[in-house]
Amino acid sequence: MSAQFNSAQNLSFVLEGIHQVKFEDRPIPELRDPHEVLVNVRFTGICGSDVHYWEHGSIGQFIVKDPMVLGHESSGVISKIGSAVTTLKVGDRVAMEPGIPCRRCEPCKAGKYNLCEKMAFAATPPYDGTLAKYYVLPEDFCYKLPESINLQEAAVMEPLSVAVHIVRQANIAPGQSVVIFGAGPVGLLCCAVARAFGSPKIIAVDIQRGRLEFARKYAATATFEPSKAPALENANRIIEENNLGLGADVVIDASGAEPSVHTGIHVLRPGGTYVQGGMGRSEMTFPIMATCTKELNVKGSFRYGSGDYKLAVNLVASGKVSVKELITGVVKFENAEQAFKEVKAGKGIKTLIAGP
């Protein structure tokens, strides 16, 4: 194995089928456009979607039909630049935004490129991901890092950008109360971004006590562990325990769990805003009466769009958000499969794979 690792020019971690992965040496990708750069990938975080493809071979309509390189939460160092590149040079350290839109369709032209139907997103079939030695990106999808951000932290810019997009969808304003369901990486980062946006009251909700303890130390001002009671009962307890008056100004669901959706709608004040960030079952029941009578603003949130990555980097660079606490493990490239097993088992918060 070590000989294969040492002699490989572009070692990649490839998913072939359910629970079937292998290391494969692939050709170094070519720059096909003068605005592209070649990135030497240094760290990649393991996301729930990566684990889901490894476990099930599909997510919704995205089905792994051919071998696919996993990974999309990455940072690296520029190793080659196209002839038209002006903002980056060889040796620059960058956070890598892993989805390339067509730039020509209506959503792209409207500034909502995350909704592009022709999006080529890393590790979403049929596109290869970033768990490789080299990866090609357009220059403007690489974000140069200030000295204050290291390459491990830079790999967390991807989930942080998801949280930035969710919080921007919620239009959180200074002074507003926020209840966030799900204290996984994205939910925790939503707590941190909400605090940076001026929310003085951030309640994290989860069924795992360990996650709630971490959330309280990290960025939440209060936590709530729901009981197996009806959603309305849990909602009323959240309101009472946190002096939320008529209810919370904003609710973010980063869990995708149906009971959280129900509780979230009931915990909102009249005229409040609900943002669905967590992906759950494709169909579920929804408290439509409460949504109507309270005249709630209900929004979805998908990945990240214009300005989100840039803001994520700025929030960390300025010290308004810290991500290093979330990095609970860094493993060598050759131990990638074991890392996937540990993430599936719920170990740690954010595990990074180094190298190769």
Side-chain angles (χ1 to χ4, degrees):
M1 175 70 85
S2 58
Q4 177 198 2
F5 272 68
N6 294 336
S7 63
Q9 43 172 356
N10 185 28
L11 196 69
S12 306
F13 186 60
V14 179
L15 178 69
E16 292 189 295
I18 294 170
H19 290 167
Q20 286 182 291
V21 286
K22 68 172 181 181
F23 295 102
E24 184 181 301
D25 189 13
R26 295 189 164 195
I28 296 172
E30 296 290 326
L31 301 184
R32 295 212 170 99
D33 184 284
H35 295 280
E36 287 180 340
V37 296
L38 183 68
V39 187
N40 173 207
V41 183
R42 295 294 173 86
F43 291 99
T44 301
I46 301 176
C47 173
S49 67
D50 293 317
V51 175
H52 202 279
Y53 281 122
W54 172 70
E55 273 271 289
H56 304 283
S58 64
I59 294 178
Q61 75 268 34
F62 298 108
I63 299 158
V64 180
K65 294 174 181 168
D66 299 302
M68 177 183 82
V69 179
L70 288 164
H72 62 271
E73 300 181 1
S74 293
S75 64
V77 176
I78 303 293
S79 66
K80 190 178 179 182
I81 64 171
S83 60
V85 171
T86 58
T87 62
L88 296 168
K89 62 185 187 302
V90 172
D92 280 347
R93 303 172 317 121
V94 295
M96 302 161 60
E97 183 173 348
I100 314 307
C102 78
R103 306 179 189 260
R104 292 180 180 87
C105 66
E106 285 299 324
C108 281
K109 289 166 83 172
K112 293 185 178 289
Y113 68 75
N114 55 316
L115 305 181
C116 174
E117 285 193 8
K118 291 183 179 158
M119 173 71 80
F121 198 86
T124 297
Y127 304 104
D128 285 319
T130 56
L131 268 171
K133 189 170 184 180
Y134 293 106
Y135 193 79
V136 168
L137 278 173
E139 155 188 34
D140 58 323
F141 281 74
C142 292
Y143 299 83
K144 191 174 172 179
L145 301 173
E147 286 304 313
S148 59
I149 300 179
N150 66 40
L151 283 164
Q152 290 189 8
E153 293 169 309
V156 188
M157 291 307 121
E158 199 276 346
L160 178 55
S161 297
V162 171
V164 164
H165 192 73
I166 291 169
V167 172
R168 286 174 85 178
Q169 284 289 88
N171 289 322
I172 289 176
Q176 287 191 318
S177 57
V178 186
V179 181
I180 296 170
F181 290 81
V186 170
L188 290 166
L189 288 164
C190 283
C191 291
V193 177
R195 179 171 267 196
F197 276 41
S199 173
K201 201 175 271 195
I202 301 158
I203 300 110
V205 182
D206 204 291
I207 55 173
Q208 291 185 33
R209 195 161 293 171
R211 284 186 167 186
L212 291 178
E213 285 166 10
F214 184 94
R216 188 65 183 268
K217 282 191 226 130
Y218 179 58
T221 60
T223 58
F224 182 82
E225 186 180 349
S227 63
K228 287 191 161 63
L232 191 55
E233 197 176 307
N234 275 317
N236 287 335
R237 270 184 58 213
I238 293 171
I239 291 168
E240 283 162 26
E241 287 176 22
N242 295 284
N243 297 317
L244 292 175
L246 292 174
D249 296 307
V250 173
V251 161
I252 289 167
D253 178 67
S255 74
E258 193 166 327
S260 296
V261 175
H262 289 206
T263 309
I265 292 292
H266 290 305
V267 90
L268 277 166
R269 64 165 172 79
T273 296
Y274 178 92
V275 180
Q276 186 63 42
M279 297 243 185
R281 293 205 321 269
S282 55
E283 304 277 339
M284 58 174 74
T285 60
F286 190 79
I288 204 80
M289 184 70 80
T291 305
C292 254
T293 55
K294 291 201 279 187
E295 205 167 275
L296 300 180
N297 305 299
V298 178
K299 294 183 179 180
S301 186
F302 185 55
R303 291 177 181 155
Y304 27 75
S306 195
D308 293 330
Y309 243 85
K310 187 179 177 183
L311 180 54
V313 172
N314 287 343
L315 286 170
V316 176
S318 64
K320 290 188 174 75
V321 169
S322 175
V323 296
K324 55 180 177 285
E325 295 88 343
L326 272 65
I327 302 167
T328 45
V330 181
V331 303
K332 292 179 179 174
F333 200 78
E334 54 258 47
N335 299 329
E337 186 174 8
Q338 183 58 33
F340 267 71
K341 288 175 182 171
E342 289 180 3
V343 172
K344 173 68 178 78
K347 291 187 183 174
I349 291 169
K350 181 55 66 178
T351 299
L352 306 184
I353 296 169

